[in-house]
Structures are given as C-alpha cells and as structure tokens.
Amino acid sequence: MAIINSGAGAVETGEWRAMRADDLDGVLALADASHPDLPESREVFAERLALYPRGCVVLDGDKGIVGYAVSHPIRRFEPPALGALLRSLPADADQFYIHDMAVAPSRRGAGAAASAMARLLGHAADFDTTALISVYGTVGFWSRFGFVPTSEEMAAKLRPYGVDAIYMVRPNRG
Ligand SMILES: CC(C)(COP(=O)(O)OP(=O)(O)OC[C@H]1O[C@@H](n2cnc3c(N)ncnc32)[C@H](O)[C@@H]1OP(=O)(O)O)[C@@H](O)C(=O)NCCC(=O)NCCS
C-alpha cells in the first residue's frame, strides 16, 4: 500500500489488480456514479473483460471497488460506439484504446489514476499509439500522459459522447 501526502493528509492509493467477473457489480456501481450521462451496460463491461482481461483493472477499497479501468486494442480511429458490443477484437487492430477509467471521489488526487495508467500503457507498448475519448473537460488530465487531441475528423463518432468529447492520441514509441 503506497501512502501519498496530498496536502490534505495522507491518502492511501492501494494497488491495482486484474479485474474479475465478480467485480462487475462494484465496477457498474462506480461507472454509474461517475458517468450518469454516459451509461453503459453490464454486458459491455463483461464483454471487454472476457475479450481482453489484461486491459481491465480495479482498485479495491474497504467497502468495494474504488477504481476501474477498461482498455483493449482497436483499429486506428475506430472507437466502439457508446454501449456497443464488439463480439471480437479486430485481428488487424493497430491502436490501443482506453475505453474508460474512473476513481471514486474519496480516492482522487492521490495518484491512483496515474498508477493505473502506468500499468495500461505497459500493455499499450505493443501498439504504435494509444487513444481515448476525453470527456468532462479531462484534456488537461490526459495530456499529462502524453495524449494530444487528434486532427483526424471524428465528429460523427464522438457525438454520442457529448459536446465536450475529444479524441486524443499518444505515441507509444519514439
Ligand atoms: C480523471 C480521474 C480518473 C483522475 O483520477 P485521480 O486518481 O484523481 O488522478 P491522479 O491523482 O492519478 O492524478 C494524476 C495527475 O493528474 C492531475 N489531475 C487529476 N484530475 C485532473 C483533471 N480533471 N484535470 C487536470 N489534471 C488532473 C492530478 O493533479 C495529478 O497531477 P500531479 O501528478 O501533478 O499531482 C478521476 O477524477 C475520475 O474518475 N473522474 C471521473 C471520471 C472521469 O472523468 N474519467 C475520465 C473520463 S475520459
């Protein structure tokens, strides 16, 4: 257990671990609380976990899941539609995609997300780039990890994610 002095007192960051099927209730509860305007079904989380377990991690708290992240490979600039099932991962996937990440308010500001990112970007190293859809004005947060807004035309794909959705990409190599 790592302890970080956040200025407001020592905060426990804990260790991220691989997500299991019996974590899904806790993951769904945190997802619903974190993304009330972008709901996704249990089936979406369960499918991503089944298709790409190494990209799915959780952070345990005293009373359940206090963080999760879901990621998997995609074809470049082809993020899944909101709420869509993939059925399978593309055999010609050429971009790593961070589908979602959330940390419970009680655990924010202590480096938990940064710790999850270090783990996910380790998996992403097999691909030239990593991408994600930034929402809720998180461009500043993601830019800390090397993501920049793409110049690619993505408006139609981003529309369901809301007016502030921005597709961001980071090079994994070089
Ligand atoms: C965004 C989120 C995952 C960050 O989690 P966190 O555990 O608080 O993040 P960390 O403590 O690891 O922060 C890492 C760095 O980013 C900074 N940061 C955190 N949130 C930020 C934000 N919204 N904008 C800019 N910088 C931010 C931190 O200050 C920290 O900087 P430092 O290394 O200089 O101290 C969390 O606020 C969250 O779950 N929000 C709701 C869901 C969400 O927005 N998910 C992403 C949708 S695309």
Side-chain angles (χ1 to χ4, degrees), residues 15-53:
E15 298 294 337
W16 291 82
R17 63 165 173 82
M19 189 188 292
R20 303 183 305 251
D22 65 358
D23 293 321
L24 286 172
D25 285 347
V27 169
L28 257 292
L30 181 55
D32 288 346
S34 304
H35 305 296
D37 299 328
L38 299 171
E40 286 202 291
S41 69
R42 182 189 187 89
E43 287 69 31
V44 166
F45 286 95
E47 186 203 55
R48 299 321 193 259
L49 176 59
L51 289 177
Y52 200 75

Side-chain angles (χ1 to χ4, degrees), residues 4 13 16 30-31 33-35 38 59 66-68 98-105 107-117 132-145 166:
I4 290 183
T13 61
W16 291 82
L30 181 55
S34 304
H35 305 296
L38 299 171
L59 183 62
V66 291
Y68 70 83
I98 297 181
H99 175 94
D100 190 8
M101 173 183 292
V103 173
R107 292 298 193 100
R108 289 180 192 164
S115 160
M117 283 303 290
L132 53 82
I133 297 173
S134 164
V135 292
Y136 314 138
T138 51
V139 166
F141 170 72
W142 295 116
S143 68
R144 289 169 174 269
F145 303 97
I166 296 175

Side-chain angles (χ1 to χ4, degrees), residues 81-100:
L82 185 65
L85 292 175
L86 302 174
R87 310 294 177 194
S88 63
L89 294 177
D92 56 351
D94 57 359
Q95 188 165 61
F96 198 73
Y97 179 66
I98 297 181
H99 175 94
D100 190 8

